[in-house]
Amino acid sequence: KQDLDRLDKDYAGGLATSATRTVALTHAAFAYPAQRYDFEQVAIIRVDPEAEPSPAQIKKVSAMVVDLGIDTIFFETLVSPKVAQTLASDLKISAQVLDPIEGLTVPDTTYFTIMESNLDALRTGMHCS
């Protein structure tokens, strides 16, 4: 319980000073943290994280990312990063990984190490001071 309380405080404090409250993700898999820590997630792929978006979807997402001033696209560890990395490259922005903790594949990885890594990525992508 103490570790969970500490993690919650780290997230609340770590994201409180963000310059942006909107993050772009390949798939809207982070609804709970978005709600709890007051940021909005915008999904690039709306239904199936394994599906390739159409050129029209990519064009629409690109315009939205530019309009919102987003400079980081997040992708999940268990999904191909190709779409996020290609879009980020085309827009000359960053692509960062967020782990939805659905598959622990790295030895010595725990819930807490993953959540701390996710917090670091969010802090960077959201420009937290």
Side-chain angles (χ1 to χ4, degrees):
K1 176 143 176 25
Q2 288 176 340
D3 289 339
L4 290 170
D5 287 341
R6 178 195 49 80
L7 187 62
D8 180 50
K9 287 178 184 168
D10 288 349
Y11 264 76
L15 299 177
T17 61
S18 66
T20 181
R21 303 306 298 171
T22 305
V23 296
L25 303 117
T26 52
H27 179 65
F30 295 88
Y32 177 75
Q35 179 183 7
R36 182 164 183 96
Y37 303 109
D38 190 33
F39 64 89
E40 180 184 357
Q41 62 174 348
V42 176
I44 295 170
I45 302 169
R46 301 239 180 243
V47 181
D48 180 2
E50 294 292 333
E52 293 277 331
S54 70
Q57 286 174 302
I58 292 290
K59 184 177 180 178
K60 183 178 178 182
V61 168
S62 296
M64 177 188 59
V65 167
V66 169
D67 289 347
L68 292 172
I70 294 172
D71 64 5
T72 303
I73 295 175
F74 294 97
F75 60 92
E76 298 175 46
T77 53
L78 299 177
V79 176
S80 171
K82 187 172 100 175
V83 171
Q85 290 172 335
T86 300
L87 184 58
S89 177
D90 289 349
L91 296 173
K92 296 179 179 27
I93 61 175
S94 175
Q96 295 265 346
V97 68
L98 286 178
D99 194 330
I101 314 173
E102 292 175 358
L104 296 175
T105 58
V106 179
D108 300 322
T109 301
T110 68
Y111 173 83
F112 294 100
T113 59
I114 290 171
M115 292 302 290
E116 289 163 358
S117 179
N118 284 347
L119 176 57
D120 289 342
L122 285 168
R123 286 181 48 79
T124 299
M126 294 172 69
H127 304 283
C128 300
S129 55

